[in-house]
Amino acid sequence: MMRDFLGKWPVIFALFCGVVPQQAAAAASQWQETDGARLRIVAEPARGGATELRGMLQIELEPGWKTYWREPGAAGIPPQISLGDSADVTIHYPAPEWHDDPYGSWAGYAQPVALPLTFTTSAATWPAALKAGVFLGICRDVCVPVSMDFDVPIDEAKPNAMQTLLLDTAFSSLPADQSERLSIADAAWTEDGALEIRLHHAVSDSDPQLFVSAGTSRPFKKPDLVSDDGETALFRVEPVFDPAKAGELTLIVTARDGVDAVERALTVSSP
């Protein structure tokens, strides 16, 4: 039932809102299946002189299965994509959710998700198709490492306006920089070696959630909500590394509060 709805909602959205797809329509790889999910990559076609293309990794999870954010927590596999020498790729992430299970806390997605991608090249021309290798974790009771190879057409041979609409929707779902309802204020080390991060947020019926990434070699524990007066929330985030030896860190901090989500890069010096 849920998958049927998810398959139809872009059509409903387009008819209701009068969305007009972009002139260049997208194409997609074939679906590939694994335990608990099926995956494909969608990409817009290469245009003359373009050095950047949008795409997305579409992950249709079955009920009870999950996959991970860029910083998965104590145990998990963050998504990785390689394109060989043909191009570079950057993965963008919708705001995840925290989940707790017998193995610990993890940040990620327990519903079907699309991870927006940006492909870039310095070459004069693009190939007819991108050859992408994907490695990620798809998990239920235990985590299954998944490795797949995709051929993604980008030569406009079979353009598809619906897939372009899916790309537009995926990119529009990314966290905002800041908003009037939710903003990431600052981050600072405490004397005992933890990070304190403050959020400003509107009144809501849910507690705000915080996610922090400094790269997979410098993981953090799940942030603890220390205080919240209804407008400002203070989080304490403990590192799983020695911050005194880490030097200056660039953090990607994501916050969500109900339907609101924001993301900000913060730089902190070693304590």
Side-chain angles (χ1 to χ4, degrees):
M1 181 70 71
M2 178 60 70
R3 178 164 290 177
D4 291 342
F5 173 77
L6 290 171
K8 295 176 182 177
W9 76 263
V11 179
I12 298 170
F13 181 81
L15 293 174
F16 183 78
C17 299
V19 172
V20 179
Q22 296 180 355
Q23 291 183 349
S29 70
Q30 296 295 316
W31 286 103
Q32 294 196 44
E33 296 188 0
T34 185
D35 291 342
R38 66 173 186 161
L39 296 82
R40 71 173 179 174
I41 294 179
V42 178
E44 63 185 357
R47 301 177 298 276
T51 59
E52 184 175 290
L53 303 177
R54 297 184 311 160
M56 71 178 185
L57 174 61
Q58 193 171 0
I59 307 170
E60 285 199 353
L61 294 166
E62 294 179 3
W65 291 77
K66 62 191 180 185
T67 193
Y68 297 101
W69 186 59
R70 58 162 55 93
E71 176 58 62
I77 303 172
Q80 303 168 53
I81 301 177
S82 61
L83 299 175
D85 297 330
S86 62
D88 295 318
V89 60
T90 300
I91 306 175
H92 311 283
Y93 293 87
E97 291 185 311
W98 278 109
H99 300 265
D100 299 300
D101 59 30
Y103 304 97
S105 298
W106 57 275
Y109 313 95
Q111 301 290 337
V113 63
L115 304 181
L117 309 173
T118 301
F119 303 113
T120 56
T121 184
S122 57
T125 58
W126 292 86
L130 295 174
K131 295 187 178 298
V134 173
F135 182 72
L136 76 170
I138 303 290
C139 312
R140 192 169 188 172
D141 297 327
V142 296
C143 195
V144 179
V146 175
S147 180
M148 293 180 172
D149 293 318
F150 295 91
D151 288 329
V152 189
I154 56 172
D155 59 357
E156 294 189 79
K158 296 180 180 180
N160 186 303
M162 182 54 63
Q163 290 165 1
T164 300
L165 179 58
L166 290 173
L167 276 180
D168 292 340
T169 303
F171 274 84
S172 68
S173 71
L174 292 175
D177 293 333
Q178 302 281 44
S179 75
E180 292 182 358
R181 292 179 51 83
L182 182 64
S183 62
I184 299 164
D186 51 34
W189 293 106
T190 64
E191 291 184 357
D192 60 350
L195 272 177
E196 285 189 343
I197 299 177
R198 291 186 303 127
L199 306 179
H200 299 309
H201 65 93
V203 176
S204 71
D205 295 331
S206 60
D207 288 333
Q209 293 189 7
L210 190 75
F211 310 86
V212 181
S213 174
T216 55
S217 63
R218 292 167 177 161
F220 288 87
K221 296 180 181 180
K222 179 181 177 181
D224 291 322
L225 180 59
V226 175
S227 64
D228 188 354
D229 63 7
E231 296 181 352
T232 300
L234 177 65
F235 286 87
R236 177 184 169 90
V237 194
E238 294 188 11
V240 190
F241 59 93
D242 185 353
K245 298 179 180 179
E248 187 174 81
L249 290 179
T250 297
L251 309 173
I252 298 177
V253 182
T254 305
R256 68 181 305 154
D257 188 24
V259 298
D260 299 308
V262 296
E263 186 169 280
R264 182 182 178 188
L266 295 174
T267 300
V268 293
S269 300
S270 58

